[in-house]
Amino acid sequence: DTAVSQTPKYLVTQMGNDKSIKCEQNLGHDTMYWYKQDSKKFLKIMFSYNNKELIINETVPNRFSPKSPDKAHLNLHINSLELGDSAVYFCASSLTGRDTGELFFGEGSRLTVL
Amino acid sequence: SQKIEQNSEALNIQEGKTATLTCNYTNYSPAYLQWYRQDPGRGPVFLLLIRENEKEKRKERLKVTFDTTLKQSLFHITASQPADSATYLCALGGYSSASKIIFGSGTRLSIRP
């Protein structure tokens, strides 16, 4: 009964390719996020959606395009992959108004661009 | 710009001692501060939240303090165990649901038997 699940867990691809990472949560949360964790373990927010509406859009290249078909799903599509895109991408979800504001994270998708 | 610093990349202590991790921040007035644990190859897991008007929070062997004047939080694990070895991340959140939660780079804690 995985709460936040991401696929694929590992992704190895060549520069210039296009790839997608999918995320689904079964917690009934209304907000979902994409975070990027680089080699120094720094976790940086990229996007956030609340009820399918984009509410946070950090300074991320246009090659990254999130899509939320419904509030339980948030996908990330990356065009023209570059070496610097290599990182672990984490999906997370939360419930607006929840007292703790805690984020529930997926297990991460490790992207390696060669 | 907003900045969060965790005192050290790595901390090694003897089992049974108290581990103390530090989180400092600048250019931010958070509504709350959170601590997460991250094991290798896994996603972060929420541990504790402390609000701006709270000084201290406890949960079992964990204790968090929050000093908004110093812009600092301390995270303590008492009676540490090897199973506590992990990376610990602090995170700050704002007042609205649209506020982003920003993370520090973490401290890797190792508890030796």
Side-chain angles (χ1 to χ4, degrees):
Chain A
D1 289 352
T2 306
V4 181
S5 59
Q6 303 178 220
T7 53
K9 189 170 173 66
Y10 299 97
L11 195 50
V12 180
T13 189
Q14 300 286 332
M15 265 177 34
N17 285 349
D18 303 338
K19 290 294 177 187
S20 292
I21 307 172
K22 295 185 176 182
C23 179
E24 175 182 3
Q25 55 94 3
N26 62 3
L27 297 167
H29 290 170
D30 56 359
T31 306
M32 296 185 72
Y33 312 77
W34 279 112
Y35 278 83
K36 178 181 179 181
Q37 189 169 45
D38 60 25
S39 56
K40 295 190 175 183
K41 303 301 182 187
F42 184 54
L43 202 60
K44 184 174 180 183
I45 189 164
M46 300 173 69
F47 303 103
S48 174
Y49 273 76
N50 178 262
N51 283 317
K52 302 193 296 176
E53 180 185 345
L54 181 66
I55 58 170
I56 294 174
N57 185 353
E58 287 295 283
T59 308
V60 176
N62 292 338
R63 300 181 294 102
F64 289 80
S65 52
K67 278 192 174 50
S68 182
D70 56 60
K71 68 178 189 177
H73 295 83
L74 180 61
N75 303 323
L76 183 65
H77 187 75
I78 315 170
N79 290 324
S80 304
L81 280 157
E82 300 178 357
L83 293 176
D85 298 332
S86 295
V88 182
Y89 292 85
F90 285 100
C91 176
S93 71
S94 68
L95 186 62
T96 306
R98 183 180 171 86
D99 196 44
T100 63
E102 70 184 273
L103 296 176
F104 290 76
F105 283 86
E107 294 295 282
S109 297
R110 180 177 292 277
L111 172 64
T112 303
V113 182
L114 303 175
Chain B
S1 61
Q2 300 159 346
K3 195 173 180 183
I4 305 176
E5 287 185 341
Q6 296 192 235
N7 59 325
S8 55
E9 277 192 35
L11 184 63
N12 297 297
I13 67 165
Q14 184 76 39
E15 181 178 6
K17 303 287 188 187
T18 296
T20 298
L21 284 63
T22 305
C23 177
N24 295 292
Y25 60 93
T26 55
N27 298 324
Y28 200 83
S29 294
Y32 57 84
L33 186 146
Q34 301 172 329
W35 283 90
Y36 288 79
R37 169 182 172 143
Q38 186 174 21
D39 290 287
R42 310 295 297 272
V45 175
F46 173 82
L47 296 174
L48 276 171
L49 172 144
I50 186 165
R51 300 190 187 282
E52 54 156 353
N53 58 351
E54 297 174 318
K55 297 292 185 190
E56 182 179 299
K57 258 301 179 52
R58 290 176 186 261
K59 180 182 176 182
E60 298 171 353
R61 294 185 295 111
L62 308 180
K63 185 179 88 170
V64 173
T65 63
F66 194 11
D67 188 327
T68 54
T69 301
L70 291 178
K71 294 186 183 293
Q72 180 182 80
S73 173
L74 299 179
F75 176 79
H76 307 272
I77 305 176
T78 58
S80 60
Q81 304 165 0
D84 295 326
S85 299
T87 296
Y88 291 86
L89 305 165
C90 71
L92 301 177
Y95 293 91
S96 79
S97 59
S99 298
K100 55 190 177 185
I101 296 175
I102 55 175
F103 283 80
S105 57
T107 296
R108 191 173 66 253
L109 176 66
S110 297
I111 311 296
R112 59 182 185 275

